[in-house]
Structures are given as structure tokens and as C-alpha cells.
């Protein structure tokens, strides 16, 4: 066990157990905030620059000013990593709506940076998961908002149906899982993933990059028909990497991960966990 | 100015400036929580029992256990009112997802009760407001969730368009404003209000009750066509009471509140602010 984790709040390194926000923060009273999340592998942040890009993108779209430069954020992250000493971890940057005087207007945001040990769920990546569709589309789809009410209640519904997670679908189109992007592989070997108004997943980005060298990749509206006709399917995220999908609702892709999914897993592995230095930022 | 407001967190009366939540509360990390809000008039809670009903309803639908009985909540509210001594106020009960170990699962909720001075916006109630429609429908529409990201950004869009607030509409149907219910009055004098998957406003409830004595009331799907054809329109909420609508998008109802809207305002007044003792709960 980690004995005493630290966090950074508005630039100050403090013990996690002392870390709090006043109750008028807009995250507490109005669920208003954005975040981003990346992992460290062997004490090095993975895809940090991509995550910072997205963090600033989310903040801008939600009208939240970031009162730190990119360099200052990198330094805060390094400070936190040096204090916590957790080689394999997840680091979250959370930007809230701040202490709002009228309980509704955006104020000066509070920035919280936290780090937690992160254990890979190898079993799930090898064995796959089951999804059920859930009628929803996230507002501000490209924003990594803190708003997970539908996802949290959806997960309960998925578990009750014997599945592992929900997949948002609305008006016949798939969009994403609450915490992961969705990919389909057609019977002719094309890779499909929704491109409109969904989170620009960082793992998704690198999957598309590597897949393009071997497969036709189509970033476009993905329909329930595409889902029913697909040969394979998987989700991607920072914590789940490529996790195969065994079934979505009544559409069963097989009791084992598909062959192209497994190939993509093998190709992604060194990029995320290994040797391709250019993608791992030294800070 | 109120010199030192108090709040109640998990049953404890404390000064507001000391009131905080740990940063792993599910409201902060996942925007997860519900609340309810009522006003006090001359030191008496208005429609408290209705609000407690809805508070428990919201908590149940969002899978949040309430670790206090109704009586205990009443006592906490009275304790807070005695400490703060604000005769005309708004009191909020906020129930969060609690300190989640995995940052996603619902934990033991934190209950925060706050009280703020409340000033009535008489000018707006007399002069009316302008709305613009906004393509959205709240998930879990009957739940008073803390999730206001769309409402907060929507308000900015409304202001930019020279309006005062947004009105959620999707697939040709009106639902509600972010913080108020919507009513239309047809050219034949019928009162229309959406009934499906919208917040069961307490002020809305009493408006329907009083209107039924004088008008045909239809609680049903309300379309954009209904909106365009209506003679009058207004919104209702605990803070806005009946506030007339002057226009929605390009549909102009007139530069002054409509006559039936004004009649309903007069009928609502004694119920909310006045003499009808049965509706004002002594605690």
C-alpha cells in the first residue's frame, strides 16, 4: 500500500487526506468541470502532450480558463510524481467551475492533480467484455466532462443484464462507451469508428495510426446495422488499452477475441508500454 | 450582509467557510449528485413536504441512500434556520455520491444543507423574459440532478442571442428550462405543460391545481407547433414563481405579459407567499 499519497491543488502539493474543496465549488453544486487522465509507465507519462492538448480543448469548450501554462502543468505533474513515487500510475488533471458566488456562474477554476496506482486488467484484455447499448449521447461529445451520471447508472443496468459496460447509441448511431471509444471490424476487414461528437481518445488516435498501415480505416457514422454485421469489435481507453468485445446486446462476436483485434493489441503494446520513445514524454 | 452563515454537513452544524468535501467525492470527480431547493417566507419553509418527497424520489432514482429519516431532515433544517436567522431564504439539500474508493462507484452519500438569502426578482416577474430553444433533453428528467453543464453553457448562448434563458427542446417537443418548468396558454385559453420525463416542479404542481379551477389544463407532449401557436407562455420555479415569457426564438407573444398569465400570478401569490396556511409547513 502507498502510505501517504499527495495531490496538487491550485499549484500546492498537499497530502491527499487534507485535500478538499469548499462546498460552493461548481463541481459540487452543478456538476461542472472537465478532466483528463493519462498513465505513467516505469515513471514516465505516456502520451502526456496529447492529454494536455485535450485538457486545454475541454477547458476552452466549457469556458473554463486555465490559469497555468503548459510548462507549469508539466512541472506540477513532475512535482507530484516525485512526491508520490508510483511508477505505474494514473494521473488525473481535474478542472472545476470554481467557487461560484451565485451558485451558477463559472468562477476561477480549481485545478486538482491526483495520482493513483494503476493496475492493468490483463484478464479482461485477454478474455473480452460484453456490452449493452444504452440510449444516450453525451452533450459536448468532444469534451472530457466530469458528467458521468448516465454512465454510473448505466453500469448498474449493464451488470443487471449480465454485461460489463454500456455503449451509448442514439437514433441508430453508436457513439462511445462512458469511458472508452468503440471500434468495429467489418467482415471484409475494415476498421470502423465513430468520428463525430465523441471523445477524441488518445489510445484511439494511436490505434487509428497503426491500423492505417494494415487495414482500411473509416472514421464515420457507425450504425446499429454496422454493429450487427461486424466480425469483431473492441473498445479502447488509457486504462483498458484494446479490450475485445464478445457481444453487444444480442450480437455475439464469439466467445474469444477476434484475430484482427489480437493483432492490433500486439501492435499497440510497444507504443503504449514499450520502446517507442518518441511517444513517451520526458518531463 | 449576513455575517457568518452556517451549513449542515452530514448532520453537523458548521460555519460555511469551514465547509468542504474531500476531493474524491463523486460530485467532484463524476458530477454525481442530486438536490432539492425550497424557500422560506417569513421564516417558514414553503412546500417543504413536497420538496422532501421529490428529494427522496431523486435520491432513489439515482441509487443514493439517504441516511436520515424525514423527521431528522426536518430537524436539521430547523437547526440551520435557527442558526442563520434569514427569514426570506432559499434552502438547498444536496446529496452527493460520496467518497468513492474507485472514483466511479457510489459510496456513502454526503448530505449538505445550505441556506442563502433569497431576493425575489419582481421586475422580471412583471416584465417577462425571452427564451431560445436549445436541442437537449435531460437524462433522468424527473430527477433534480446536479448536472447543469448544458444549462450553464446554454445560458451563455442565450445571453449572446439577446435572450435570458434556454428552453430545452428535442425531436420537436419542448421539455423544460434548466431551472424552471414551461407552460403555454393556447388561443382558446387552454393551459399546456409537458408531463413526460420533466422535473415535477413544486410551483408547477400548485399552478396546475389553481388553474384547473378556471381553465382547461392539458398535461401532455407539447410541440414546437404548440409553442408557435400559443397566445401566452410562462415559466415557473421556486425562485421565479410565474415569470412571463415575451418570446421564444422568433415566436413573439407580445412585449407585455399576457392577461391569463397575470391572472395566474395573482392566484399563485397567496399560496406561495401568503395566507393559505395548509401549504406552509411548520417544523
Amino acid at each position: 500500500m502507498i502510505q501517504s499519497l499527495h495531490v496538487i491543488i491550485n499549484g500546492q502539493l498537499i497530502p491527499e487526506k487534507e485535500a478538499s474543496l469548499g462546498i460552493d465549488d461548481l463541481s459540487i453544486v452543478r456538476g461542472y468541470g472537465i478532466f483528463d487522465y493519462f498513465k505513467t509507465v516505469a515513471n514516465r507519462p505516456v502520451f502526456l502532450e496529447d492529454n494536455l492538448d485535450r485538457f486545454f480543448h475541454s477547458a476552452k469548450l466549457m469556458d473554463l480558463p486555465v490559469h497555468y501554462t503548459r510548462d507549469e502543468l508539466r512541472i506540477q505533474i513532475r512535482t507530484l510524481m516525485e512526491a508520490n513515487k508510483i511508477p505505474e500510475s494514473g494521473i488525473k488533471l481535474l478542472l472545476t467551475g470554481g467557487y461560484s458566488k451565485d451558485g451558477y456562474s463559472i468562477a476561477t477554476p480549481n485545478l486538482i492533480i491526483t495520482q493513483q496506482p494503476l493496475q492493468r486488467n490483463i484478464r479482461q484484455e485477454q478474455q473480452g467484455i460484453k456490452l449493452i447499448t444504452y440510449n444516450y449521447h453525451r452533450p459536448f461529445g468532444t469534451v472530457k466532462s466530469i458528467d458521468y451520471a448516465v454512465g454510473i447508472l448505466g453500469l448498474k443496468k449493464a451488470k443487471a443484464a449480465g454485461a460489463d459496460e454500456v455503449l451509448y447509441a442514439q437514433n441508430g448511431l453508436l457513439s462511445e462507451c462512458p469511458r472508452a471509444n468503440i471500434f468495429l471490424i467489418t467482415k471484409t476487414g475494415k476498421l470502423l469508428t465513430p468520428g463525430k461528437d465523441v471523445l477524441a481518445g488518445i489510445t484511439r488516435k494511436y490505434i487509428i495510426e497503426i491500423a492505417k498501415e494494415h487495414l482500411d480505416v473509416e472514421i464515420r457514422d457507425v450504425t446499429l446495422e454496422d454493429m450487427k454485421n461486424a466480425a469483431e469489435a473492441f473498445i479502447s481507453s488509457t486504462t483498458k488499452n484494446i479490450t475485445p468485445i464478445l457481444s453487444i446486446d444480442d450480437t455475439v462476436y464469439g466467445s474469444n477475441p477476434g484475430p484482427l483485434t489480437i493483432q492490433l493489441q500486439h501492435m499497440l503494446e510497444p507504443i503504449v508500454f514499450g520502446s517507442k520513445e518518441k511517444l513517451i514524454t520526458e518531463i
Side-chain angles (χ1 to χ4, degrees), chain A:
Chain A
M1 275 297 292
I2 305 300
Q3 284 312 300
S4 67
L5 280 178
H6 281 70
V7 303
I8 290 185
I9 298 192
N10 298 325
Q12 294 280 104
L13 183 75
I14 58 170
E16 188 188 34
K17 58 187 142 207
E18 294 168 19
S20 64
L21 287 184
I23 58 166
D24 50 344
D25 187 87
L26 214 55
S27 61
I28 298 171
V29 293
R30 301 289 178 182
Y32 203 93
I34 62 101
F35 71 108
D36 222 289
Y37 181 85
F38 58 91
K39 64 185 166 220
T40 67
V41 171
N43 259 323
R44 290 189 299 190
V46 179
F47 308 143
L48 175 60
E49 299 308 315
D50 291 305
N51 281 279
L52 288 178
D53 285 346
R54 194 174 60 185
F55 177 76
F56 280 100
H57 167 84
S58 295
K60 189 176 175 192
L61 262 69
M62 298 297 279
D63 221 14
L64 293 169
V66 181
H67 293 292
Y68 300 97
T69 64
R70 223 171 150 102
D71 272 345
E72 286 168 341
L73 292 182
R74 284 196 203 93
I75 290 167
Q76 290 187 24
I77 291 163
R78 185 173 59 197
T79 302
L80 185 65
M81 289 175 65
E82 285 170 357
N84 284 334
K85 296 183 176 53
I86 319 171
E88 319 296 318
S89 73
I91 293 181
K92 184 189 268 197
L93 282 75
L94 172 65
L95 190 70
T96 73
Y99 299 132
S100 178
K101 276 186 187 156
D102 63 2
Y104 207 71
S105 305
I106 294 165
T108 302
N110 287 303
L111 175 66
I112 302 171
I113 311 180
T114 57
Q115 184 180 26
Q116 294 282 341
L118 180 63
Q119 264 210 322
R120 194 171 172 184
N121 193 336
I122 296 272
R123 193 177 136 272
Q124 211 173 51
E125 287 181 41
Q126 285 173 349
Q127 298 185 356
I129 60 169
K130 294 176 181 176
L131 302 181
I132 59 167
T133 54
Y134 195 99
N135 180 26
Y136 184 61
H137 184 91
R138 287 196 310 118
F140 319 118
T142 67
V143 170
K144 204 163 171 68
S145 155
I146 61 169
D147 167 23
Y148 279 80
V150 177
I152 289 169
L153 282 185
L155 182 58
K156 190 187 163 198
K157 204 177 164 187
K159 298 280 183 198
D164 301 284
E165 186 51 283
V166 294
L167 169 62
Y168 295 145
Q170 197 165 68
N171 301 324
L173 298 179
L174 310 184
S175 55
E176 58 197 341
C177 292
R179 293 180 286 178
N181 288 113
I182 176 84
F183 287 86
L184 301 178
I185 300 172
T186 67
K187 294 205 169 79
T188 58
K190 271 188 216 165
L191 186 69
L192 307 183
T193 192
K196 216 160 54 190
D197 206 26
V198 297
L199 194 75
I202 314 297
T203 308
R204 172 180 175 276
K205 171 186 160 181
Y206 288 100
I207 291 168
I208 291 169
E209 263 190 33
I210 55 171
K212 273 184 177 165
E213 297 169 22
H214 306 274
L215 301 173
D216 278 348
V217 178
E218 292 186 4
I219 302 167
R220 60 155 168 90
D221 285 355
V222 177
T223 67
L224 288 173
E225 281 309 298
D226 290 325
M227 180 192 102
K228 286 171 192 164
N229 293 328
E232 303 179 30
F234 61 86
I235 60 169
S236 70
S237 81
T238 296
T239 57
K240 292 176 191 302
N241 303 296
I242 288 176
T243 292
I245 298 171
L246 304 176
S247 65
I248 308 175
D249 296 337
D250 296 332
T251 302
V252 179
Y253 299 109
S255 54
N256 292 306
L260 286 174
T261 301
I262 292 174
Q263 279 190 40
L264 287 169
Q265 284 181 323
H266 289 316
M267 288 190 280
L268 183 67
E269 189 74 14
I271 296 174
V272 174
F273 291 96
S275 50
K276 288 207 175 174
E277 286 298 320
K278 72 181 167 79
L279 297 173
I280 296 177
T281 312
E282 294 283 2
I283 54 171

